[in-house]
């Protein structure tokens, strides 16, 4: 694992753009069209108001209105989400001119009005009242699960919502394509045009595969091609709102620069998370990925796509660079996106049978075969010859949410681990990638990601085997006097020392580093172990798995505990069992080893095993606290504690016979 990380550190690349120079290369009227894709899947796990805030933040970009379109994919097929965007379309008529007139920087309404030092303009109170009114209506609808007739103000809205009949379910329904705003026909409160806003819920059928997020993105690719067909595409997660209105211009500085490699396929911005507590107890900022790995890969073929914040040339999804040269500018669509023929074609390409006997998902669009469609697709794009660039401006381009409870954190990582294993054992494995791209370092970089879950095996062994040996008075490590003992020590301190030094030099406190390494061990011991088992079961045909959406809903008491740095357990989930079982065994083993050392007055035989157990015990302090002392709702459920004690006793009994 340590060796593969060195490929990222060979030649880190940091770039800077100068937006003021863009006008020397292209006029604003010649900017390429920009289609923004936003995906959501469950109105109860991903509250529609969060998705609405993301959409409004990009609709207010400093970009020619006539060239900007926002497409929202609702994979949950919920009329509640459609209603929320009907409300958003009305509010946008006031929000966009407000941002334009006052040169607002934070163009996400929630972030703008919730700022600790909000900007005050003459219209601020009025616009905030409109926003709060919209928020209350949307949240009331979500709470009730139905839409009051009093909220329907236009005939077209009633017709759109009437498609949700008794037989309409999230897993089985026809395609829905609703144009909420059309540039050239819908104007804001000041008479200026507005960007296109389109709601899409692709057709679902229980007898057709849907390929999770990759399938939803491919539907967006096809529907947008029938309507606007912009040459540049931005992909966003539902909670990843724009934090800088000039972000598209930063991307154009690369995409339109004549000195850049013509094979440049996409520009990737980092995911930056807001609301993370002071010491980041779950390691949610993903510092290694966005501050070490991405700059390191930029020097090679380019960074991976991180699932959000990627500006793509549309043509990258249709073949290798040499095959798509004629698509460089894109086919501009001039007809009304509300015309009958356009809507008929849009519904057709959103059908669940459309991809049958086509190259979609294999040679075209986002690729199928892995739950981490972002990494898998970017890997295959680089195999085809496309390059990418990492753009990390001082002001974060996008801000999103990171899980603030341990259960969501571990489940999210488990989903990633299954997807990574699917990539690792696909026909386009990292080894194949390294050969095809004629870059061993690129292969090592992808191997670092795709083989993450494999490390669950040695970490699990080290979390249990030496400690069980210690409980049985057995020594499996070298003695202190043995030179091999110091090899263990040097390797451990060297790897941890490098990691710690990087954290300190980046200005982060020691406590945050400690939490990060603990979160890494929790991921490996729990998420990666479960992910590895689930993948193997699926591989032999015993089990299948689906895409579980990470919940964005946060209770107030849970938020308060998180801000205090208190771990959130709360639910009796199996993902906690490896952590709690390891915590019990390591604590008992450390006390047993200490007792043995006191009786024998020698610690030489069990020094390394005691160090390992002691290191685990210190890391498990939040687990012990949740087991024994806490009384709040975030404590560890008694059921999990009891099962863990039984498992620990069973492992000890089995080890007694083995040793």
């Amino acid at each position: 694992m340590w060796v593969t990380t060195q490929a990222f550190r060979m030649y880190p690349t940091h770039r800077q753009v100068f937006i003021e120079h863009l006008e020397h290369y292209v006029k604003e009227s010649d900017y390429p069209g920009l289609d923004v894709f936003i995906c959501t899947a469950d109105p109860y796990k991903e509250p529609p108001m969060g998705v609405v805030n993301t959409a409004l933040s990009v609709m207010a970009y400093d970009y020619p209105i006539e060239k900007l379109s926002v497409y929202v994919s609702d994979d949950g097929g919920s009329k509640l989400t459609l209603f929320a965007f009907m409300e958003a379309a009305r509010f946008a008529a006031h929000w966009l001119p407000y941002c334009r007139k006052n040169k607002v920087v934070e163009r996400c309404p929630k972030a703008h009005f919730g700022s600790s030092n909000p900007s005050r303009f003459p219209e601020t109170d009025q616009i905030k009242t409109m926003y709060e009114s919209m928020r209350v209506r949307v949240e009331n609808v979500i709470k009730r699960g139905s839409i009051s007739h009093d909220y329907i103000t236009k005939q077209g809205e009633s017709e759109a919502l009437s498609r949700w009949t008794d037989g309409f379910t999230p897993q089985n329904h026809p395609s829905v394509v609703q144009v909420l705003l059309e540039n050239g026909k819908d104007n804001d409160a000041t008479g200026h045009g507005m960007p296109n806003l389109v709601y899409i819920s692709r057709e679902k059928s229980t007898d057709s595969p849907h390929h999770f997020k990759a399938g939803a993105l491919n539907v967006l690719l096809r529907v947008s091609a029938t309507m606007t067909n912009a040459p540049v595409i931005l992909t966003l997660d539902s909670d990843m709102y724009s934090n800088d209105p000039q972000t598209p211009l930063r991307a154009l500085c690369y995409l339109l620069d004549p000195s850049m490699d013509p094979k440049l396929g996409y520009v990737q911005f980092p995911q930056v998370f807001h609301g993370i507590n002071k010491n980041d107890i779950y390691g949610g900022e993903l510092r290694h990925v966005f501050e070490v790995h991405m700059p390191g890969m930029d020097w090679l073929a380019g960074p991976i796509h991180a699932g959000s914040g990627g500006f793509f040339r549309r043509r990258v999804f249709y073949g290798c660079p040499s095959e798509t040269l004629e698509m460089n500018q894109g086919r501009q669509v001039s007809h009304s996106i509300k015309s009958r023929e356009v809507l008929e074609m849009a519904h057709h390409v959103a059908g669940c049978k459309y991809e049958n006997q086509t190259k979609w998902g294999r040679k075209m669009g986002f690729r199928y075969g892995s739950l981490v469609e972002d990494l898998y697709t970017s890997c295959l794009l680089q195999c085809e010859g496309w390059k990418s660039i990492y753009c990390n401006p001082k002001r974060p381009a996008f801000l999103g949410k990171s899980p603030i409870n341990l259960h969501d954190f571990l489940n999210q990582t488990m989903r990633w681990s299954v997807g990574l294993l699917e990539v690792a054992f696909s026909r386009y494995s990292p080894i194949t990638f390294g050969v095809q791209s004629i870059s061993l370092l690129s292969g090592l970089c992808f191997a670092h990601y795709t083989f993450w879950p494999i490390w669950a095996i040695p970490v699990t062994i080290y979390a249990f085997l030496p400690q069980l040996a210690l409980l049985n008075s057995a020594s499996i490590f070298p003695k202190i006097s043995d030179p091999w003992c110091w090899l263990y020590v040097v390797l451990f301190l060297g790897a941890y020392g490098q990691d710690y030094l990087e954290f300190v030099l980046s200005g982060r406190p020691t406590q945050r580093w400690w939490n990060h390494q603990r979160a890494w061990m929790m991921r490996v011991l729990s998420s990666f172990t479960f992910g590895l088992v689930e993948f193997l079961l699926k591989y032999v045909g015993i089990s299948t798995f689906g895409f579980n959406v990470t919940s964005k809903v946060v209770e107030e008491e849970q938020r308060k505990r998180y801000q205090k740095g208190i771990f959130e357990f709360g639910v009796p989930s199996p993902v906690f069992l490896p952590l709690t079982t390891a915590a019990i065994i390591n604590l008992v083993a450390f006390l047993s080893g200490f007792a043995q050392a006191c009786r024998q007055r020698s610690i030489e035989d069990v020094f390394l095993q005691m160090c390992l157990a002691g290191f685990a015990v210190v890391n498990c302090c939040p687990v012990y606290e949740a087991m024994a002392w806490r009384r709040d709702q975030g404590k560890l459920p008694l059921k999990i504690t009891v099962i863990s004690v039984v498992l620990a006793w069973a492992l000890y009994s089995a080890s007694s016979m083995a040793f």
Side-chain angles (χ1 to χ4, degrees), residues 188-304:
D188 62 28
T190 62
H192 290 84
M194 300 177 72
N196 298 311
L197 177 61
V198 184
Y199 168 92
I200 301 165
S201 183
R202 57 180 172 146
E203 182 185 11
K204 288 284 189 73
S205 175
T206 53
D207 59 357
S208 295
H210 302 119
H211 306 291
F212 311 113
K213 186 179 177 182
L217 286 168
N218 284 338
V219 168
L220 290 179
L221 274 170
R222 296 194 295 270
V223 171
S224 64
T226 68
M227 292 187 165
T228 50
N229 200 43
V232 180
I233 292 169
L234 166 63
T235 60
L236 284 179
D237 284 340
S238 63
D239 64 325
M240 193 64 63
Y241 68 81
S242 170
N243 188 54
D244 182 357
Q246 293 192 315
T247 296
L249 306 184
R250 298 185 187 279
L252 291 188
C253 286
Y254 295 111
L255 296 174
L256 300 183
D257 189 343
S259 65
M260 295 301 297
D261 191 332
K263 296 179 181 178
L264 175 62
Y266 65 90
V267 178
Q268 179 64 48
F269 286 81
Q271 291 187 17
V272 180
F273 303 99
H274 66 93
I276 289 180
N277 64 3
K278 180 181 177 181
N279 291 319
D280 190 14
I281 56 175
Y282 303 134
E285 69 172 344
L286 302 178
R287 192 199 74 86
H288 280 102
V289 174
F290 295 111
E291 295 186 18
V292 177
H293 300 171
M294 293 289 197
M297 297 183 77
D298 200 345
W299 171 63
L300 303 169
I304 61 170

Side-chain angles (χ1 to χ4, degrees), residues 73-345:
S73 169
D74 176 18
D75 236 23
S78 172
K79 64 179 178 181
L80 308 181
T81 303
L82 175 57
F83 170 77
F85 274 90
M86 290 175 175
E87 291 287 308
R90 282 193 286 269
F91 177 69
H94 303 277
W95 176 248
L96 301 189
Y98 170 77
C99 293
R100 185 169 56 244
K101 175 184 176 182
N102 299 300
K103 301 188 185 314
V104 174
V105 177
E106 284 187 323
R107 300 195 178 180
C108 167
K110 182 179 180 180
H112 175 69
F113 296 125
S115 174
S116 56
N117 295 305
S119 302
R120 302 292 300 179
F121 305 107
E123 313 94 327
T124 300
D125 290 338
Q126 179 186 1
I127 300 297
K128 184 177 181 180
T129 300
M130 292 181 182
Y131 172 74
E132 290 298 326
S133 176
M134 173 184 68
R135 181 185 64 80
V136 169
R137 286 196 298 273
V138 172
E139 291 181 353
N140 283 342
V141 163
I142 299 299
K143 185 177 181 179
R144 290 199 306 263
S146 61
I147 303 170
S148 171
H149 292 293
D150 297 337
Y151 289 163
I152 307 300
T153 59
K154 296 180 181 179
Q155 180 64 28
E157 295 176 349
S158 179
E159 292 177 1
L161 294 171
S162 66
R163 301 174 193 176
W164 274 261
T165 59
D166 292 339
F168 196 112
T169 67
Q171 296 79 30
N172 196 351
H173 63 81
S175 56
V176 178
V177 180
Q178 184 69 30
V179 178
L180 301 172
L181 291 174
E182 181 178 10
N183 179 257
K185 293 189 176 180
D186 294 301
N187 295 326
D188 62 28
T190 62
H192 290 84
M194 300 177 72
N196 298 311
L197 177 61
V198 184
Y199 168 92
I200 301 165
S201 183
R202 57 180 172 146
E203 182 185 11
K204 288 284 189 73
S205 175
T206 53
D207 59 357
S208 295
H210 302 119
H211 306 291
F212 311 113
K213 186 179 177 182
L217 286 168
N218 284 338
V219 168
L220 290 179
L221 274 170
R222 296 194 295 270
V223 171
S224 64
T226 68
M227 292 187 165
T228 50
N229 200 43
V232 180
I233 292 169
L234 166 63
T235 60
L236 284 179
D237 284 340
S238 63
D239 64 325
M240 193 64 63
Y241 68 81
S242 170
N243 188 54
D244 182 357
Q246 293 192 315
T247 296
L249 306 184
R250 298 185 187 279
L252 291 188
C253 286
Y254 295 111
L255 296 174
L256 300 183
D257 189 343
S259 65
M260 295 301 297
D261 191 332
K263 296 179 181 178
L264 175 62
Y266 65 90
V267 178
Q268 179 64 48
F269 286 81
Q271 291 187 17
V272 180
F273 303 99
H274 66 93
I276 289 180
N277 64 3
K278 180 181 177 181
N279 291 319
D280 190 14
I281 56 175
Y282 303 134
E285 69 172 344
L286 302 178
R287 192 199 74 86
H288 280 102
V289 174
F290 295 111
E291 295 186 18
V292 177
H293 300 171
M294 293 289 197
M297 297 183 77
D298 200 345
W299 171 63
L300 303 169
I304 61 170
H305 175 42
S308 183
F311 285 83
F312 290 84
R313 297 188 196 274
R314 181 179 288 270
R315 62 193 182 101
V316 305
F317 298 109
Y318 294 90
C320 65
S322 60
E323 294 174 344
T324 59
L325 288 176
E326 68 278 3
M327 294 182 60
N328 193 33
Q329 298 302 320
R331 174 180 57 82
Q332 298 300 313
V333 180
S334 57
H335 44 242
S336 169
I337 61 175
K338 284 186 177 179
S339 66
R340 188 178 69 176
E341 57 270 22
V342 170
L343 289 177
E344 285 180 354
M345 179 57 69

Side-chain angles (χ1 to χ4, degrees), residues 463-480:
F464 290 100
L465 184 60
Q467 292 79 352
L468 291 170
L470 189 58
L471 284 170
N472 288 279
S473 303
S475 177
I476 61 173
F477 281 164
K479 298 181 180 180
I480 298 178

Side-chain angles (χ1 to χ4, degrees), residues 373-391:
E373 78 294 324
D374 45 7
L375 183 142
Y376 191 41
T377 299
S378 54
C379 171
L380 298 185
L381 289 178
Q382 292 189 14
C383 284
E384 294 172 359
W386 293 104
K387 308 293 183 182
S388 59
I389 274 178
Y390 186 53
C391 183

